[in-house]
Amino acid sequence: MVAEQKTDLSGTSGSGSNRRGGRILVVTAVAAEREAVLRGLQDAGRFDVLAAGVGPAAAAAGTAAALAASGYGLVISAGIGGGFTGRAEVGSLVVADEIVAADLGAETPEGFRSVDELGFGAARIPAAAGLAARLAAALREAGLAVAVGPAVTVSTVTGTAETAARLAARVPGAAAEGMEGFGVATAARQFGLPVLELRAISNPVGPRDRAAWRIGEALDALAAAGAVLQEVLE
């Protein structure tokens, strides 16, 4: 049962620990995503849901401001996004095991080099492993299609097959593409907090075809995932 997957966030150590408070901050990009999450949560309880804006900079700034203003024990980046073909189909969910800034680095004659390779920092932030695994298991138990894998963050949404192939090669096993996850995760890391990323897939990563996007279906999947979040984390 999903109810049996509940996670205690009241401890003082571990990836799911609640070192600053009992509340959980969920960060979306836009109001429609926020409303979908709230629809799923129904009774928000310990959850605060923030629409921080589009892109990693807005996500980082909004998350950091919220974390500075109140105590939280867990941060979740949630929203709709693209799914990599063969890894996450439209209408399904992705729970990130790693959050990757896929276009943060430099172009060189030999190809793209990440900030890790350049020695300027880290482009990968691990998700809270135990919580991510429990959330994915609970989503499956609820009958929802879910993949676990890296979620890539980009500042420019992929619009060609060539870019999609480059990203897939750069981040093996990549499951989802979004624009906010790494920003949210960076702020959480600055405050020493565990982070999750949850994406509902509205379109394949690749050629841009607005007519084929199924945003309504993805928002419904996000709402369904919100109900499971309540069961797992409350």
Side-chain angles (χ1 to χ4, degrees):
M1 298 291 292
V2 171
E4 296 173 351
Q5 300 283 341
K6 289 184 180 180
T7 299
D8 182 7
L9 294 180
S10 61
T12 58
S13 63
S15 63
S17 68
N18 187 2
R19 287 168 287 177
R20 296 194 63 208
R23 301 199 65 77
I24 298 163
L25 178 64
V26 182
V27 183
T28 70
V30 298
E33 294 167 326
R34 178 178 183 273
E35 290 163 5
V37 172
L38 287 171
R39 179 157 46 97
L41 290 174
Q42 297 182 355
D43 177 9
R46 288 188 292 150
F47 292 83
D48 292 331
V49 187
L50 166 70
V54 175
T63 303
L67 294 178
S70 184
Y72 291 95
L74 174 67
V75 184
I76 303 172
S77 175
I80 65 175
F84 284 86
T85 302
R87 293 285 290 125
E89 302 307 315
V90 172
S92 69
L93 296 159
V94 170
V95 175
D97 58 11
E98 188 177 33
I99 302 166
V100 184
D103 57 3
L104 182 60
E107 288 186 339
T108 75
E110 294 74 34
F112 177 83
R113 295 186 66 190
S114 71
V115 291
D116 310 70
E117 296 171 297
L118 295 169
F120 296 151
R124 295 170 180 262
I125 297 175
L131 289 179
R134 285 192 286 275
L135 175 58
L139 291 168
R140 293 189 183 104
E141 184 69 19
L144 300 170
V146 59
V148 177
V152 303
T153 300
V154 294
S155 295
T156 301
V157 172
T158 297
T160 68
E162 292 77 14
T163 301
R166 284 197 298 271
L167 284 177
R170 190 178 298 164
V171 185
E177 176 186 88
M179 299 181 72
E180 294 78 33
F182 191 79
V184 173
T186 297
R189 182 173 58 181
Q190 291 295 315
F191 283 81
L193 295 174
V195 64
L196 297 174
E197 182 169 359
L198 173 66
R199 290 282 159 190
I201 303 305
S202 60
N203 56 277
V205 177
R208 184 176 175 83
D209 180 7
R210 285 294 302 268
W213 290 5
R214 285 149 59 182
I215 292 175
E217 184 176 337
L219 290 172
D220 287 344
L222 189 61
V228 176
L229 273 176
Q230 176 120 344
E231 291 290 333
V232 173
L233 299 177
E234 274 285 22

